């Protein structure tokens, strides 16, 4: 892996380009930007793409859409690695307020788990919403795309009003840990990142639908920006 530092201006065209894809009819919601925090020492990603779709077919069409392909190809020189996780939304609202804080968690489960064990993990993660009244949305599910997933099969996103609520969430580590311990025997590895939705000039709001959620993590030559 390369170890040099690039200026933030080098990533600006990619940030602008990918955010412009929010205007596509295929997307219900899309935002791309630099992570607020990466809480993993092994997968040190720098940026996140968060997008939602009406169906798996819309997601497939988005992936091969000529504008998406063009923007990704133009920025390949500054992309070191990508991880993508896709799951069916469990009814979370499509609309996200600009400035909302997001805590995204990826779980790699231990091998040979049955469906009952997987369902138990999802139940435990879903119970976090009952522990923290500040949570605006909770979306979670099992990954259905197996390319570039790096073995992570369960994903969740907690949406809060703002960055201050992330600090409040951190201050209640006892509650977080108690939930995680309930599923600890089934989990091999956890990656957690924090992200703020873009300011209004990048934000496109759309109506609520049942939807597909995708999270893509990007490592953009390196994890430090001037």
């Amino acid at each position: 892996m390369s170890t040099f530092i690039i200026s933030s201006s080098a990533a600006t065209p990619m940030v602008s380009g990918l955010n412009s894809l929010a205007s596509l009819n295929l997307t219900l919601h899309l935002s791309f930007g630099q992570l607020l925090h990466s809480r993993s020492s092994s997968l040190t990603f720098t940026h996140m793409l968060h997008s939602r779709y009406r169906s798996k077919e819309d997601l497939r069409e988005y992936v091969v859409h000529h504008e998406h392909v063009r923007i990704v190809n133009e920025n390949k020189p500054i992309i070191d690695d990508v991880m993508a996780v896709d799951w069916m939304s469990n009814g979370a609202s499509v609309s996200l307020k600009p400035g909302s804080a997001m805590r995204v968690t990826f779980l790699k489960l231990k091998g040979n788990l049955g469906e009952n064990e997987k369902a138990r993990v999802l139940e435990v993660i879903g119970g976090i919403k009952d522990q923290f009244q500040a949570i605006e949305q909770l979306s979670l599910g099992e990954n259905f795309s197996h390319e570039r997933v790096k073995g992570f099969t369960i994903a969740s996103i907690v949406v809060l009003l703002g960055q201050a609520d992330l600090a409040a969430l951190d201050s209640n580590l006892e509650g977080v840990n108690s939930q995680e311990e309930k599923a600890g025997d089934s989990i091999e590895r956890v990656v957690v990142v924090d992200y703020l939705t873009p300011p209004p000039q990048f934000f496109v709001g759309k109506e609520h639908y049942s939807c597909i959620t995708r999270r893509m993590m990007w490592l953009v030559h390196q994890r430090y920006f001037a």
Side-chain angles (χ1 to χ4, degrees):
M1 180 179 291
S2 54
T3 57
F4 57 87
I5 299 172
I6 66 167
S7 68
S8 58
S9 61
T12 298
M14 182 173 68
V15 172
S16 298
L18 287 171
N19 276 303
S20 72
L21 298 176
S23 63
L24 297 178
N25 289 332
L26 297 168
T27 62
L28 295 174
H29 169 85
L30 184 147
S31 70
F32 178 74
Q34 191 168 348
L35 290 173
L36 183 64
H37 297 118
S38 178
R39 301 170 183 270
S40 169
S41 58
S42 56
L43 289 175
T44 49
F45 290 101
T46 59
H47 289 68
M48 187 175 83
L49 176 77
H50 167 221
S51 51
R52 293 177 175 181
Y53 308 85
R54 294 178 183 85
S55 65
K56 291 181 180 180
E57 181 59 31
D58 280 357
L59 171 57
R60 285 191 289 265
E61 290 186 27
Y62 164 82
V63 170
V64 298
H65 191 280
H66 64 92
E67 275 300 296
H68 173 256
V69 172
R70 178 186 64 80
I71 292 167
V72 170
N73 286 338
E74 286 177 354
N75 291 281
K76 278 184 177 179
I78 64 168
I79 299 173
D80 279 349
D81 197 8
V82 176
M83 184 175 85
V85 181
D86 304 319
W87 71 93
M88 294 291 296
S89 173
N90 60 332
S93 172
V94 169
S95 298
L96 297 177
K97 299 174 183 177
S100 296
M102 301 162 60
R103 174 152 297 171
V104 186
T105 303
F106 302 98
L107 303 178
K108 179 183 287 188
L109 303 183
K110 294 179 180 178
N112 301 318
L113 289 183
E115 293 303 314
N116 288 339
E117 288 86 353
K118 292 180 182 178
R120 174 59 177 161
V121 172
L122 290 170
E123 180 184 356
V124 168
I125 300 302
I128 293 176
K129 195 173 191 302
D130 297 329
Q131 301 288 326
F132 307 100
Q133 299 302 313
I135 294 176
E136 294 283 300
Q137 295 183 30
L138 174 63
S139 173
L140 71 157
E142 185 174 0
N143 174 64
F144 60 78
S145 299
H146 301 290
E147 296 181 2
R148 302 182 297 178
V149 71
K150 302 186 185 297
F152 291 86
T153 55
I154 301 291
S156 71
I157 175 171
V158 167
V159 179
L160 303 159
L161 283 177
Q163 188 172 346
D165 293 302
L166 285 173
L169 189 63
D170 288 334
S171 69
N172 197 337
L173 290 177
E174 183 177 348
V176 174
N177 291 337
S178 66
Q179 286 298 114
E180 292 180 349
E181 286 170 1
K182 294 177 183 178
D185 291 343
S186 301
I187 298 172
E188 177 181 321
R189 191 177 178 190
V190 180
V191 170
V192 179
V193 299
D194 295 337
Y195 175 72
L196 296 179
T197 55
Q201 61 263 35
F202 289 130
F203 185 77
V204 177
K206 300 188 180 180
E207 295 180 6
H208 173 79
Y209 297 85
S210 297
C211 62
I212 304 294
T213 300
R214 158 167 280 205
R215 304 291 184 279
M216 295 188 71
M217 308 294 293
W218 301 71
L219 179 59
V220 183
H221 277 325
Q222 194 68 2
R223 55 190 80 104
Y224 304 107
F225 292 84

